[in-house]
Amino acid sequence: MTTKRPKETRARPDDWLTIGEVSARTGTAVSALRFYEELGLIASERDDRNQRRYPRHMLRRVALVSVAKRIGIPLQDLRDAFADVPLDRPPSHQEWQRASRGWKRRLEERRKTIERLEAELTGCIGCGCLSMKACALLNPGDELAEDGTGPRRL
Amino acid sequence: MTTKRPKETRARPDDWLTIGEVSARTGTAVSALRFYEELGLIASERDDRNQRRYPRHMLRRVALVSVAKRIGIPLQDLRDAFADVPLDRPPSHQEWQRASRGWKRRLEERRKTIERLEAELTGCIGCGCLSMKACALLNPGDELAEDGTGPRRL
DNA sequence: GTATGACCTCAAGTAATCTTGAGGTCAAGG
DNA sequence: CCTTGACCTCAAGATTACTTGAGGTCATAC
């Protein structure tokens, strides 16, 4: 069971990773990597045997994709956010920073939504409002019904 | 264009909502409501014309479903979390509280994941680590590579 | 020299989450 | 009385995010 990685045709072998290596390092399935490439989220070059070779900086791209997935942000949004970061070469510090900041804002927004929901749910637990009449956030678009029955939040 | 809600056959009309009313109040499409019912996430009774009628407390269930959707938590998880809360009658304060607390834990977990990612991304912005060698979190499963090139985090 | 494992392509399948469409009921409005 | 709107069912289609399968190349291990 030794590694059957083919002979390297490039000068510095460890600068390029096989799809299997990227998969192992990122925890992303090989099939998923090929799929992401199809979507244009990541990119690879080919060696003389037509096998994908990934530059190291692609690991970060892959990681970002799994992160987006993990927190339920659609891949299309990720694509938009990192549209300006080049795939064919390591992004410059600036390029990366700009995109990262946008992404951070996205994460922050997400976190705040959850925080609001947490707070709201705490409120519900506290008041035990079973009619939801007082739960504006959990019940968006429902102006508080005006008949007098049911519990209220204090 | 007046409302064509059928004559009420029940004693207290406003205790029961039509699917259109629930849709309007929760912002959830009618088709989605029917779909959620199929999944057993919500429930309804039928009137003498075989149309769905929802008790008010179902609004909260629906709201929870949209919340789960909004933050990218699969509906199956929601089903699990609220499995013990009855659909056929307004849940007791206790029943609701217990399930809510479980759900809150879920939200908190989610939030913390995002917070960790935010922190990690901030770190990356700070150091500009383009090789990802120092980014353990964004690059899970990748033990820091040991060749000496590339930027480091300070 | 043949078996194995890592890779390739392309097509089809799966799961979740709904939406859309076809075809029908029924009550109120004009 | 006929149209319209709100509802019904059931089946099929859409989207996202992949996985699986069939069929093939090629280098290393035995």
Side-chain angles (χ1 to χ4, degrees):
Chain A
M1 297 261 157
T2 54
T3 303
K4 293 203 177 174
R5 181 164 178 188
K7 260 181 200 120
E8 266 303 331
T9 55
R10 290 177 191 278
R12 301 185 49 200
D14 289 331
D15 277 0
W16 298 88
L17 305 166
T18 66
I19 197 169
E21 285 164 348
V22 173
S23 170
R25 276 167 178 254
T26 60
T28 306
V30 166
S31 59
L33 290 172
R34 289 198 267 247
F35 176 67
Y36 294 153
E37 184 170 324
E38 219 173 287
L39 295 188
L41 289 167
I42 61 174
S44 64
E45 311 212 341
R46 300 301 176 107
D47 70 358
D48 51 1
R49 280 168 56 197
N50 195 35
Q51 295 192 352
R52 288 172 180 81
R53 288 295 179 270
Y54 297 89
R56 273 176 186 285
H57 68 82
M58 204 55 68
L59 286 172
R60 190 169 29 174
R61 277 302 269 250
V62 175
L64 273 171
V65 176
S66 357
V67 163
K69 190 187 119 186
R70 207 150 86 217
I71 61 178
I73 295 180
L75 299 186
Q76 185 54 60
D77 292 14
L78 182 68
R79 177 134 96 163
D80 298 346
F82 284 82
D84 293 339
V85 177
L87 281 168
D88 51 330
R89 55 178 172 78
S92 78
H93 191 158
Q94 231 188 18
E95 285 165 332
W96 183 254
Q97 274 207 1
R98 190 174 10 241
S100 282
R101 271 197 280 264
W103 190 243
K104 246 199 94 182
R105 271 196 296 278
R106 195 84 163 68
L107 286 181
E108 195 178 327
E109 183 190 295
R110 195 84 166 184
R111 175 174 51 77
K112 285 189 173 156
T113 299
I114 294 183
E115 276 168 5
R116 260 184 289 120
L117 292 170
E118 278 186 300
E120 197 58 35
L121 205 49
T122 304
C124 280
I125 291 174
C127 73
C129 58
L130 294 176
S131 75
M132 288 205 65
K133 293 205 171 78
C135 288
L137 227 167
L138 257 183
N139 195 16
D142 191 21
E143 348 62 59
L144 304 187
E146 58 280 76
D147 82 31
T149 65
R152 305 264 141 182
R153 184 143 21 151
L154 291 182
Chain B
M1 301 263 158
T2 55
T3 303
K4 293 203 179 178
R5 181 164 178 189
K7 262 184 198 117
E8 265 303 333
T9 55
R10 293 177 188 277
R12 300 185 50 200
D14 288 332
D15 278 1
W16 298 89
L17 306 166
T18 67
I19 197 170
E21 286 164 348
V22 173
S23 171
R25 279 168 177 254
T26 60
T28 306
V30 167
S31 60
L33 290 173
R34 288 199 266 249
F35 175 68
Y36 294 153
E37 183 170 324
E38 219 173 286
L39 295 187
L41 289 167
I42 61 174
S44 63
E45 311 213 340
R46 299 302 176 106
D47 71 357
D48 51 1
R49 282 169 54 199
N50 195 36
Q51 294 191 354
R52 288 172 180 82
R53 287 296 178 270
Y54 297 88
R56 272 175 187 287
H57 68 82
M58 204 56 69
L59 285 172
R60 189 170 30 175
R61 277 302 269 248
V62 175
L64 273 171
V65 176
S66 358
V67 162
K69 189 187 119 185
R70 207 150 87 218
I71 60 177
I73 295 179
L75 299 186
Q76 185 55 60
D77 292 14
L78 181 70
R79 177 134 97 163
D80 297 346
F82 284 82
D84 293 338
V85 178
L87 281 168
D88 53 331
R89 55 179 170 80
S92 77
H93 190 157
Q94 230 189 18
E95 286 166 331
W96 182 255
Q97 275 207 358
R98 192 178 2 244
S100 282
R101 271 196 280 263
W103 191 242
K104 248 199 88 181
R105 270 195 298 277
R106 196 83 164 68
L107 286 181
E108 194 178 328
E109 184 190 292
R110 196 82 166 186
R111 175 175 50 78
K112 286 190 170 154
T113 298
I114 293 182
E115 275 167 6
R116 257 184 292 121
L117 293 170
E118 279 186 300
E120 197 58 34
L121 205 48
T122 304
C124 280
I125 290 172
C127 72
C129 56
L130 295 176
S131 75
M132 287 205 64
K133 294 207 171 78
C135 287
L137 226 167
L138 258 183
N139 193 16
D142 191 22
E143 347 65 57
L144 304 187
E146 58 279 77
D147 83 33
T149 65
R152 305 265 143 179
R153 183 143 21 150
L154 293 181

